[in-house]
Amino acid sequence: MASEAAAETAAKPRGGRLCTICNTKRAALKRPKTLEQICKDCFYAVLEDEIHRVIVDNHIFKRGERVAIGASGGKDSTVLAYVMSELNRRHDYGLDLFLLSVDEGITGYRDDSLETVKRNEIQYGIPLKVVSYKDLYGWTMDEIVKLIGLKNNCTFCGVFRRQALDRGASLLKVDKIVTGHNADDIAETVLLNILRGDIARLSRCIYSPNAYRGFAREFIKDLERIRPRAILDIIKSGEDFRIATHTKMPEQGNCERCGYISSQKWCKACVLLDGLNRGLPKQGIGRTRGLDAERNKDSRETNGTQSLQSKQCGSLDF
Amino acid sequence: MACNSASCESGCYKDDERPVAANGNASNPRRGGVNVPGVCLKCKINQTIAVTHPAVAGSAGEGGRFCADCFRSNLLGKFRFAVTSNAMISPSDNILVAFSGGSASRYFILFSHVLVTQKNFDASRERERVLPVFGVGVAYIDETTMCAEASSEFGEAANEVELIVSNLTPPTKQFLAIPTESIYSPELAVGRDSLKRLGDVVRDLTGKEDLNKHLRMLSLQKAAFDNGYNKIVLGTCTSRIACHVLEATVKGQGFSLAADIQYVDARWKVPVVLPLRDCLSEELNMLCSLDSLKTVEASQQPRAGINGLISSFVKLLQEENPSRESTIVRTAGKLTPFSFNKTPEVDDPNERLATKRRQKKYNLKPDKSQPPESFCLVCSSPLKKSNTSGLNGLALEETSAVIYAAACSSCQYQILPKDTSSMEHFLSLLPQSITTLAKDSSDSHMFLREQIQDLLLSDSDDGT
């Protein structure tokens, strides 16, 4: 970009193309979403303004709410932290903001990102609260891996992490959680749900960590190169899909062990934890009977853990 | 079978590669759950295609699972089920088969006679014997004008296709070679010129490809109607539909997607049916290979732009997991179809009774949806009610804006020109069948005009 700008400066006596928004400063970048050539300040301005519009148009917050910002230390949550604190101040949302970070208890892994979040706390003046797997579940990932090895640890970490944000927020009496999921993430999820046959998730869009995501991610990057707006078009399609009402959707109820939201008798985390606590590392690994198994079906079979033990993938009623 | 966990240990992919049992004997094939490599999964007697015809089997999972006979009957079963459960074809029909030379439509032409067996139709016993066989004609679309680079290939392909058709077992099937410019008839020379210029005016590569696809359908429609056919058969198979699902998704066509992927599409003047919807292209290719059915390498250029990207993506996914294409289509199959996605009802009390019995037998829900109010004037996809959002930021005068609003968001973006002067030129290049639609929409959409009033440039704005 710097060399491009330099070349432009060399070619045009005035100092290159002007920003198409303010027409004053020199254009510093081409905005991926719209391909507009704009200056740095206008770029910040449009980004912040668009996010503000989304917040206002969708009535996302109420005055006085306690809002936890899911903070991983990555670029998305850092931008989120900055934007939330800035907009809260600038437009006087009246929100009580703080950063919520999850510590999985993996030595050497979270240390750097936690440092970044601590920096964010200082930079943006938002208090930081860290919840650990140890606090929430009684196990760190290191301890889990020691017990079950490296084969299915991703399942554990993913399930726990998904709930950790929720559980942590609930512990801290939070009204809303905000996360830094961006259009690429949503588009990727829509795609994955189509590819994997997850019609229930297609209407709920839940993040699920998965090696298979790599395929979809690669494809989306290639797609973006050809047509940047395609990412937003995927999201639009996802919103416009009309799903037949007679399609079986999982019933949402509550876990009998901990009260967390669950479509089964026990939530996934409880199933896994129970396994860990009883020295049964395979419990809950592999697919349970049918993605949309209804709760009453399940209660017929369950009197403990037998039906929840790992089943061969081939027994899926697809 | 599709497993999403990278660390899953069930080894479901590895079935075909499992080593032979250590004791050297093939395990008792009747014992449940044990798959002996090289022996058909279904009949458990014959050898699989991978063994008897290794050259044909290729990488498809099918070759390693079934013997030739079971494979044939499995494919035929899917085909027949699709046709009967949707009452796709009745004996009085006169069907035009769109034949590009590919294996899918080739298969249909060969096996269409199988559908004739009377017990497939819920007709009374006495009528069985006197019902005529449905008529079949074959259409080949000559895209020479639209793809100038490949003109000689199209010419050759047309000849080969005609040869195949003439060599089919009697009764003789009418063969129609349809140049795309036929939609401009009677002014064919003008049509050829307009088509060439259209190709230049539409800049977006994907838009160009999609426009060609829409024009192909229009040519087919015209040919069918003019030659007295009442139904069109396309060889669209599972694999093609899987690609279409992704294409529509990435183009923002989530609303209308369901319309294109059902067995029956009756929004057209001549309804279109897809009897091979449940068959994979891999299977159809294998069958044509097995039975030495002559096909013509589709003179399709490698698809460019987004469609090409998706094609390769799906191929990659399918190689990684042979049930991927089916999964994609099954997921998309859960989207609500439109009211025109069923065989149009005939005014015959017997037929209505037959339809009710069929719905009950195959557990189909009677459709309660309202027909959509309007269709995109370029691609005919059903339009959502609020279609004016794409107009923001464009410099359009009234008539152009109305045209714009009568198109879906995808065609708005990738096919229609972005300003008024180009729009007039663009409209002048379209065939009359589309421009009459445009004129109708212009005349009758007062409501639409009111909606877009705020977005229009008034004369004073541009200083004239």
Side-chain angles (χ1 to χ4, degrees), chain B residues 36 70 73 153 173 242 244 246 299 323 356-357 383 449:
Chain B
V36 182
C70 289
S73 68
E153 286 170 42
K173 295 166 179 59
H244 183 75
L246 296 184
S299 37
S323 62
K356 276 212 168 65
R357 263 189 258 135
L383 293 176
R449 209 173 286 168

Side-chain angles (χ1 to χ4, degrees), chain A residues 38-58:
Chain A
I38 55 183
C39 68
K40 202 165 78 165
D41 293 327
C42 286
F43 176 60
Y44 292 154
V46 291
L47 210 60
E48 288 157 20
D49 191 56
E50 278 176 22
I51 296 173
H52 171 62
R53 285 263 60 88
V54 165
I55 291 175
V56 166
D57 295 346
N58 294 281

Side-chain angles (χ1 to χ4, degrees), chain B residues 310-330:
Chain B
I310 288 176
S311 223
S312 339
F313 181 55
V314 173
K315 186 154 175 269
L316 182 71
L317 292 175
Q318 183 73 1
E319 279 166 14
E320 180 258 346
N321 183 343
S323 62
R324 186 62 58 203
E325 284 169 354
S326 308
T327 304
I328 295 175
V329 173
R330 189 173 39 243

